[in-house]
Amino acid sequence: MAHISSGFPALASDTVQLYFTKDPLLESLPILVFYGPSTTSNATRSSARIQVHVYSLAGFQSFPRLTIAPTSPLYAAVNHLPSDRQGDEVSRGLAIGLLSYFARLSGPVKDTLRELAARRRLNPTAPAMFDEMHAGQLASDMVKMDDADGIVRILSSALSQQSLSWIDLDVVLPQKTIQRAVAQEGADLIPACGDDGLPLFHYGVYGPMIEQIGHPAFLPTSKLRRAPSRPTAHSKSRILSKNQKISIRREMCEVLDTEKSYVAKLQNLVNHVAEDLRQNFREDTQKRGLRTGNNPVDRLFPESLSRILAANREFLTELEDILSSTEDAAIEDIEGSVESAILQLEQASLASRNRDSTGTLAFARTLLKWLPKFSGPYQDYMRTSVDLPKALGTARQDNESELSRAVNEFGEQRLRSMLIEPVQRLPRYSLLLDNIIIQLPASHPAMSSLLKSKDILADICALESSSPADSSRTSNVVRKSVQDWPTWLSPRGRLVAAIDAIDLNPPYGDALSGSEVLLLLFPDSLIIARKANDTALSAKGILAEVDRPTISSFQNHTDDRGLLFSAAFDLSKLRLSESADHRTVRLIYTLAATSQSSLSPSDVQLRVLSLLGPYDGKTHRFSEDIAKAKIEGRFPEPVRESNRWSLRATEPSLGSLGMIVAIYEDGVTTKDGLNPTTSCVRVIVSNHGDTQGPSPRTSDVSMTIHMALLGSDTCKMEVQEVEGSRSSETFPLDNLAPVLARKGQSPVCIFDRWTLIF
């Protein structure tokens, strides 16, 4: 975590006095000046050294020690005081302090404020501002205020110390640099993955440089929707004991036995219960002349239920074959003589990777073959399950019908239990697999397949799919949950996170003074919805609505979620900072370009939010989510799934930013043939030690860093900022990560100080 702005100094009324005035040239807003004798160690109350602290539309600046001396260039402001005020010590100190304040303002800040003042004048020429005459005029208009302590408390809250934990960077490598690493498996070459399950890449001569930029990181795609599961609990031994082998076979047999029972229940449900109720409905339609179009039985037993039965019946057949064919070898292995551990290890190293006497590998491969086939029918069934309560109510509403009598005789609760059986089966698979995984060594050949099977089950339960319709479904669920949703707003991609928060009122000191809101983070936008009442949908609730968990699919819900649309921010134009206590975040949104000279007050919005729930006291987690979401929004899935793109991360440390770094080759394009947008800090790795390159050209880029290797252990870096400043630096390769973090912090600090004026 790095500090990007210091807090308001600790001032007391016994050391400083407060003066203020309003300046028509600065939007007629107050200018506050805290004035008093300097309290530095070598100053006395009778000396000509003073302290001045100024706050205005142009921001806050502090001068702990200024000298009132006719020889000082700042004394020119005193000459523009009224003649009767030039001998007054306070007036002279105020004039010198204001001129010092003006002198420290950056060029872009002055230019923007001059443009604002010129818009309000009949003469469009920008007025003379920020000179000694301007400072003298303001000093002569200053009026003393009595409540200095109260103003200090307000400014201390509004201008509290700000820090930042994470930033996102783009690193552009020369073309044909990135290659996917491969590994040998038998006679085949397969894509290599690290211990964390993430893909490995080679970066050619730039490998040592990239290795310094943290560790591989993960972003979801339609093919890999969550970080691969890892064996967090597994056997520490490299060989299986007799008891472990018995436990593994017992758990596999448990899967088979429960599968037999489950398929039998499905057969009864589809072939008997459903058919009997359909027959009752047909009798009702014939006897009473009812229409057959609205058949509640078909809604109770959708076509996907028959597909589930067909898939599980075939899965059961293959599962029986696998366990039957491996049973003799497994029993012989368990009951046979126990060889020494050394001999077992030697035999394991010589044996084929595909050999497994317990049958676990064949079992795992069967799961990996069939579970993806479950995705379609099970997800279709879970999506239609939301209508089951209504369909069941329709079937029972006419007490005189044969269908209603049949449902009552069978038992409504019993029927509900049978209908929910397919939904409950999926989590049951995961629990059974956990019992097997915990017995296996991490290096066991079946481990990878079992972990992938767990991921597939999790994806099915979460109703995730690779189709664009799934992303549209998420957007539709969120839109229906929030009243007054704008018709033009259609966030892209998945719902990255949902966070409960309080939108604080100025001056942001009271964590309970504000409105309860819900933050919805998408890869391209952050949406704020205000909670209208105490029963409004929470972050946990909206995630449940989007993910459609299995049990809640059978519960009724109302359309009124108690959420009202408040604001939507484009992530590419959003900056944030964190409070020192890690409880609040400051969101700064700019409608205009990043260039500071193009901003105006109407272009900037400020929100200060106190995060609740899992994010309470963990603003760094929100900062990381924002950084990852920005990268996910900039790079479409075809780019992220290609072998020309990778992601790395450097964890934040005391005084240093964490970095989420997108690494890709020059020339990578999106599906539409357009270059992906870039982060505000872009790193271009050059060939042959050349760090010369064009200045930042796009409105998204605040800083461009051209970097090259000098030998095997040295880097050369040239930094160009959008406002024209340039610097260069040569440093050891081992220092690359901290140097990048320090450089990446610079535009964030500048932007934070600049936006204080609005």
Side-chain angles (χ1 to χ4, degrees):
M1 176 178 291
H3 297 301
I4 60 177
S5 68
S6 57
F8 194 82
L11 303 177
S13 57
D14 59 343
T15 59
V16 295
Q17 296 176 333
L18 175 60
Y19 296 83
F20 97 104
T21 188
K22 292 184 178 181
D23 186 0
L25 298 179
L26 295 178
E27 301 290 297
S28 296
L29 295 174
I31 298 178
L32 303 178
V33 179
F34 295 88
Y35 168 87
S38 177
T39 57
T40 55
S41 58
N42 57 350
T44 64
R45 297 188 67 90
S46 60
S47 70
R49 294 190 177 94
I50 60 172
Q51 60 172 313
V52 175
H53 313 273
V54 184
Y55 180 67
S56 77
L57 179 62
F60 173 78
Q61 293 186 34
S62 181
F63 303 91
R65 181 179 177 184
L66 289 174
T67 302
I68 302 176
T71 57
S72 171
L74 299 173
Y75 201 82
V78 177
N79 298 328
H80 293 277
L81 289 170
S83 56
D84 60 332
R85 303 281 295 274
Q86 292 183 7
D88 181 66
E89 180 180 353
V90 173
S91 296
R92 287 185 296 169
L94 293 174
I96 290 175
L98 286 167
L99 188 56
S100 300
Y101 177 77
F102 291 157
R104 190 179 287 184
L105 295 179
S106 66
V109 171
K110 292 180 180 179
D111 293 341
T112 296
L113 293 176
R114 288 191 183 104
E115 292 176 8
L116 291 175
R119 294 175 191 174
R120 300 183 180 276
R121 295 164 59 95
L122 295 177
N123 183 355
T125 304
M129 296 173 63
F130 311 122
D131 56 9
E132 58 268 21
M133 183 180 298
H134 191 189
Q137 179 63 46
L138 291 177
S140 64
D141 294 338
M142 285 284 171
V143 177
K144 183 179 178 181
M145 294 184 65
D146 295 329
D147 189 18
D149 289 338
I151 300 300
V152 167
R153 285 193 298 271
I154 292 175
L155 292 179
S156 296
S157 297
L159 304 178
S160 60
Q161 178 180 325
Q162 296 294 300
S163 59
L164 186 62
S165 299
W166 292 90
I167 59 170
D168 58 293
L169 301 177
D170 290 345
V171 174
V172 186
L173 296 177
Q175 294 185 5
K176 299 182 180 179
T177 298
I178 304 177
Q179 292 183 351
R180 180 69 187 272
V182 295
Q184 188 84 26
E185 182 171 343
D188 300 325
L189 291 177
I190 62 172
C193 295
D195 294 338
D196 52 8
L198 298 178
L200 296 177
F201 294 90
H202 295 308
Y203 303 94
V205 296
Y206 305 105
M209 176 187 292
I210 301 302
E211 290 297 324
Q212 296 295 325
I213 311 178
H215 54 81
F218 173 76
L219 274 184
T221 67
S222 60
K223 294 182 180 178
L224 191 62
R225 302 177 192 108
R226 56 179 50 82
S229 296
R230 300 178 64 183
T232 54
H234 56 84
S235 173
K236 304 298 182 182
S237 173
R238 294 179 59 190
I239 60 174
L240 291 174
S241 66
K242 180 177 181 179
N243 289 335
Q244 287 174 321
K245 293 176 182 179
I246 294 174
S247 297
I248 291 172
R249 286 297 298 189
R250 182 175 61 246
E251 294 299 332
M252 289 193 294
C253 291
E254 176 72 10
V255 174
L256 177 61
D257 292 341
T258 57
E259 188 69 15
K260 289 180 180 178
S261 174
Y262 172 59
V263 170
K265 291 179 181 179
L266 285 180
Q267 288 176 330
N268 180 49
L269 183 65
V270 173
N271 297 333
H272 299 288
V273 177
E275 287 303 318
D276 290 346
L277 293 180
R278 286 192 177 95
Q279 180 61 32
N280 293 132
F281 181 75
R282 285 193 291 267
E283 292 176 2
D284 286 336
T285 57
Q286 293 173 0
K287 292 179 180 179
R288 308 175 65 185
L290 300 177
R291 291 182 301 172
T292 60
N294 186 19
N295 188 343
V297 181
D298 289 340
R299 290 158 57 196
L300 281 173
F301 305 95
E303 173 267 343
S304 55
L305 191 59
S306 298
R307 289 191 286 131
I308 289 175
L309 173 59
N312 279 87
R313 192 155 43 195
E314 293 184 43
F315 171 61
L316 173 61
T317 301
E318 187 158 338
L319 203 60
E320 287 177 322
D321 293 341
I322 289 295
L323 290 182
S324 175
S325 63
T326 59
E327 183 177 7
D328 292 340
I331 293 175
E332 182 180 351
D333 182 55
I334 292 172
E335 294 181 348
S337 60
V338 180
E339 300 176 290
S340 68
I342 297 177
L343 181 58
Q344 289 188 48
L345 289 176
E346 290 176 350
Q347 291 180 344
S349 64
L350 295 175
S352 169
R353 178 183 174 90
N354 298 335
R355 295 285 300 277
D356 174 36
S357 57
T358 62
T360 313
L361 181 58
F363 174 82
R365 287 177 172 173
T366 301
L367 289 173
L368 202 55
K369 172 185 174 181
W370 278 98
L371 290 182
K373 299 179 181 180
F374 288 180
S375 177
Y378 273 92
Q379 288 189 338
D380 289 345
Y381 185 76
M382 286 189 285
R383 289 190 178 99
T384 58
S385 64
V386 68
D387 294 327
L388 293 180
K390 185 176 181 180
L392 192 57
T394 302
R396 298 179 64 248
Q397 66 182 4
D398 188 355
N399 294 329
E400 301 299 324
S401 68
E402 292 295 328
L403 178 60
S404 177
R405 290 195 187 98
V407 170
N408 289 331
E409 289 177 3
F410 187 82
E412 179 184 353
Q413 188 58 46
R414 180 186 174 194
L415 182 58
R416 283 179 179 268
S417 299
M418 296 183 71
L419 290 173
I420 205 174
E421 188 81 22
V423 179
Q424 294 174 328
R425 181 59 181 168
L426 297 175
R428 177 66 174 165
Y429 285 132
S430 291
L431 294 175
L432 293 170
L433 293 186
D434 284 336
N435 293 337
I436 298 176
I437 290 172
I438 198 172
Q439 302 291 339
L440 295 175
S443 59
H444 195 280
M447 182 68 79
S448 175
S449 296
L450 291 174
L451 293 176
K452 289 178 181 178
S453 298
K454 284 195 61 181
D455 289 339
I456 294 171
L457 289 169
D459 290 341
I460 298 175
C461 291
L463 284 181
E464 295 177 348
S465 72
S466 59
S467 65
D470 192 67
S471 174
S472 176
R473 184 187 66 83
T474 298
S475 180
N476 289 335
V477 169
V478 174
R479 183 184 295 109
K480 291 178 180 179
S481 300
V482 180
Q483 296 182 29
D484 300 329
W485 185 279
T487 56
W488 53 264
L489 181 59
S490 182
R492 293 185 294 106
R494 65 191 182 97
L495 179 60
V496 177
I499 305 105
D500 294 311
I502 297 178
D503 190 357
L504 299 180
N505 298 325
Y508 317 119
D510 186 354
L512 300 178
S513 176
S515 303
E516 290 193 26
V517 296
L518 177 64
L519 308 181
L520 303 171
L521 178 60
F522 289 88
D524 64 339
S525 57
L526 177 68
I527 298 169
I528 301 180
R530 182 171 59 86
K531 297 184 179 181
N533 50 56
D534 294 338
T535 61
L537 200 63
S538 64
K540 186 177 180 180
I542 196 71
L543 289 173
E545 289 292 321
V546 170
D547 291 341
R548 184 60 63 196
T550 55
I551 302 302
S552 65
S553 298
F554 289 85
Q555 297 176 347
N556 287 313
H557 61 268
T558 61
D559 292 331
D560 185 8
R561 297 293 198 264
L563 298 175
L564 302 175
F565 177 82
S566 178
F569 301 137
D570 183 348
L571 283 190
S572 66
K573 299 178 176 62
L574 187 68
R575 302 291 184 269
L576 70 87
S577 60
E578 308 165 43
S579 64
D581 61 0
H582 313 298
R583 294 187 178 277
T584 64
V585 293
R586 179 174 294 179
L587 302 181
I588 303 166
Y589 180 66
T590 57
L591 300 176
T594 304
S595 176
Q596 297 169 355
S597 60
S598 63
L599 292 175
S600 66
S602 60
D603 294 329
V604 178
Q605 297 182 32
L606 172 66
R607 294 286 185 102
V608 178
L609 303 167
S610 177
L611 305 183
L612 306 175
Y615 290 80
D616 184 13
K618 299 179 181 179
T619 54
H620 64 278
R621 179 180 173 185
F622 181 72
S623 175
E624 182 180 8
D625 286 348
I626 290 286
K628 287 185 175 181
K630 286 183 177 182
I631 290 179
E632 188 174 341
R634 285 201 302 272
F635 297 95
E637 282 195 14
V639 174
R640 289 186 280 130
E641 292 177 345
S642 71
N643 290 333
R644 302 173 63 191
W645 189 95
S646 66
L647 189 73
R648 300 184 76 87
T650 300
E651 298 296 327
S653 59
L654 184 62
S656 180
L657 288 169
M659 298 183 295
I660 306 291
V661 185
I663 303 170
Y664 60 98
E665 293 182 359
D666 188 19
V668 168
T669 59
T670 65
K671 186 177 181 180
D672 297 327
L674 302 174
N675 288 323
T677 57
T678 185
S679 65
C680 65
V681 180
R682 192 182 195 207
V683 181
I684 301 175
V685 180
S686 306
N687 288 312
H688 312 301
D690 178 23
T691 57
Q692 299 296 322
S695 299
R697 295 187 299 268
T698 70
S699 60
D700 297 323
V701 184
S702 297
M703 175 184 291
T704 298
I705 300 175
H706 295 273
M707 191 166 59
L709 282 172
L710 300 179
S712 60
D713 57 358
T714 306
C715 272
K716 181 182 178 183
M717 175 184 293
E718 183 163 325
V719 180
Q720 302 172 62
E721 297 189 36
V722 70
E723 302 302 338
S725 61
R726 184 188 294 262
S727 63
S728 61
E729 185 175 351
T730 302
F731 53 89
L733 183 60
D734 293 345
N735 295 340
L736 176 58
V739 170
L740 277 180
R742 173 166 49 85
K743 296 297 183 182
Q745 177 182 341
S746 176
V748 179
C749 295
I750 294 172
F751 199 89
D752 184 78
R753 291 196 300 269
W754 163 250
T755 50
L756 284 177
I757 75 172
F758 300 129

